[in-house]
Amino acid sequence: MQCPLLYRFRVIDRLPEKPSEAATRGTLVHAVLERLFDNPAAERTAGRATALVPAQWDRLLESKPELSELFAEDAGGERLSRWLSEAEGLVERWFSLEDPTRLEPAERELFVETELESGLRLRGVIDRIDVAPTGEVRIVDYKTGKAPRPEYAEGALFQMKFYALVIWRLKGVAPRRLQLVYLGSGDILTYDPVVADLERVERKLLALWDAIRLATETGEWRPRPTKLCGWCDHQSVCPEFGGTPPVYPLTVRPAESGQDVQGRIDPVRAEAGRPVTLEGP
């Protein structure tokens, strides 16, 4: 949705991308908030949470040694120390938004997967699921950045509606509330979906997959320039920056007469032997 050509670089060409401090800090904070709930409610304090940061950073380095490149030129350790302090600050801010002593998540970092009637598989990892005593389900996602302006809120909620759709198809019950917790700005964005919302998301995903399938077959992946291009690792091979994409590694099938290579909003049917999966962010 952000950029078809970026999708190609990441999913088909699998071009390497450098780890970023911001994304890695988000992974670290998520790990801390997940682990905090291992403790009894009375021990879920801000002090206990921030104390988890160094150990979780060590665990992250152990599982992904390439992250050490982030601070390879930080001989004195000042940048790393500041970065860890920023992570601790985000963890502390969470306590002003939610009270973990009153929460007992039903699930944390839950992998979910379902298959639609079309054969399209949807899967993702949900940060937290809360279930009320009366059975209502709340899906919670932590964001270490700032909350978007109201006119951009729909884009942020799409991820949550994706998760809600997966849960609805798995359990037969739509989640009661979707909640985004923005630690960077100290805001909480909530949305209460209805079945019609989830049906619209399903139709949008089917159309999206159709566009992906057609672009995969024809090799037509068009760049979509935005302000986010400045953060892209692939400018050297992007036509928008004077680059040339690598040779397309898949067999190209010419588009049929009258067929839009960017995809049409038609039902998608799984093809034998082809992976048919969309993953949530």
Side-chain angles (χ1 to χ4, degrees):
M1 292 170 62
Q2 175 186 329
C3 174
L5 185 59
L6 178 60
Y7 179 94
R8 178 202 148 172
F9 288 158
R10 285 179 170 171
V11 179
I12 297 177
D13 298 296
R14 299 192 179 186
L15 301 183
E17 296 182 340
K18 298 178 182 178
S20 73
E21 291 187 18
T24 305
R25 182 169 51 238
T27 301
L28 174 59
V29 170
H30 276 71
V32 169
L33 298 185
E34 178 190 6
R35 293 291 177 183
L36 182 65
F37 285 103
D38 290 340
N39 298 294
E43 297 178 16
R44 298 171 196 160
T45 64
R48 175 63 66 90
T50 55
L52 291 172
V53 170
Q56 290 304 311
W57 170 234
D58 290 340
R59 289 187 60 181
L60 197 55
L61 277 177
E62 184 178 349
S63 63
K64 297 182 177 180
E66 65 273 15
L67 294 180
S68 61
E69 298 175 10
L70 287 171
F71 304 101
E73 300 178 3
D74 183 32
E78 292 87 357
R79 275 183 50 226
L80 174 59
S81 178
R82 183 170 60 253
W83 183 80
L84 290 172
S85 295
E86 291 169 352
E88 291 173 355
L90 292 171
V91 170
E92 288 180 339
R93 179 169 288 161
W94 177 59
F95 284 81
S96 68
L97 302 172
E98 296 190 287
D99 181 359
T101 66
R102 302 180 63 182
L103 296 171
E104 290 297 342
E107 301 287 352
R108 292 172 276 154
E109 295 296 318
L110 176 67
F111 175 81
V112 291
E113 181 175 22
T114 192
E115 184 171 311
L116 304 180
E117 290 183 1
S118 66
L120 181 64
R121 290 194 308 272
L122 308 179
R123 64 188 182 200
V125 179
I126 300 175
D127 288 348
R128 198 181 86 214
I129 295 180
D130 301 329
V131 179
T134 50
E136 290 93 346
V137 173
R138 176 173 65 183
I139 297 177
V140 181
D141 194 77
Y142 308 118
K143 299 294 185 185
T144 50
K146 297 180 179 180
R149 295 201 300 267
E151 60 266 33
Y152 298 113
E154 182 59 32
L157 282 171
F158 180 77
Q159 171 192 358
M160 302 301 285
K161 293 179 181 179
F162 178 101
Y163 293 149
L165 170 61
V166 175
I167 294 296
W168 176 49
R169 288 306 188 192
L170 279 173
K171 306 294 185 181
V173 178
R176 176 68 178 81
R177 172 155 293 183
L178 310 177
Q179 180 167 304
L180 283 159
V181 181
Y182 287 94
L183 304 177
S185 56
D187 296 300
I188 290 181
L189 176 62
T190 62
Y191 183 82
D192 296 341
V194 295
V195 168
D197 291 327
L198 307 184
E199 291 173 337
R200 282 192 292 270
V201 170
E202 183 169 334
R203 291 193 295 270
K204 185 172 184 177
L205 292 173
L206 291 174
L208 178 61
W209 178 254
D210 204 29
I212 291 171
R213 179 176 58 81
L214 290 173
T216 301
E217 293 172 350
T218 61
E220 292 287 339
W221 298 95
R222 300 172 185 172
R224 183 175 297 152
T226 68
K227 294 180 180 179
L228 296 175
C229 289
W231 299 92
C232 184
D233 283 340
H234 308 303
Q235 293 182 15
S236 63
V237 290
C238 178
E240 292 294 320
F241 292 87
T244 301
V247 176
Y248 193 57
L250 304 179
T251 301
V252 173
R253 178 179 65 79
E256 298 174 3
S257 177
Q259 185 181 59
D260 181 355
V261 297
Q262 288 303 299
R264 295 178 56 82
I265 304 178
D266 297 324
V268 179
R269 300 301 172 191
E271 298 180 17
R274 292 181 60 86
V276 187
T277 305
L278 284 181
E279 296 192 12

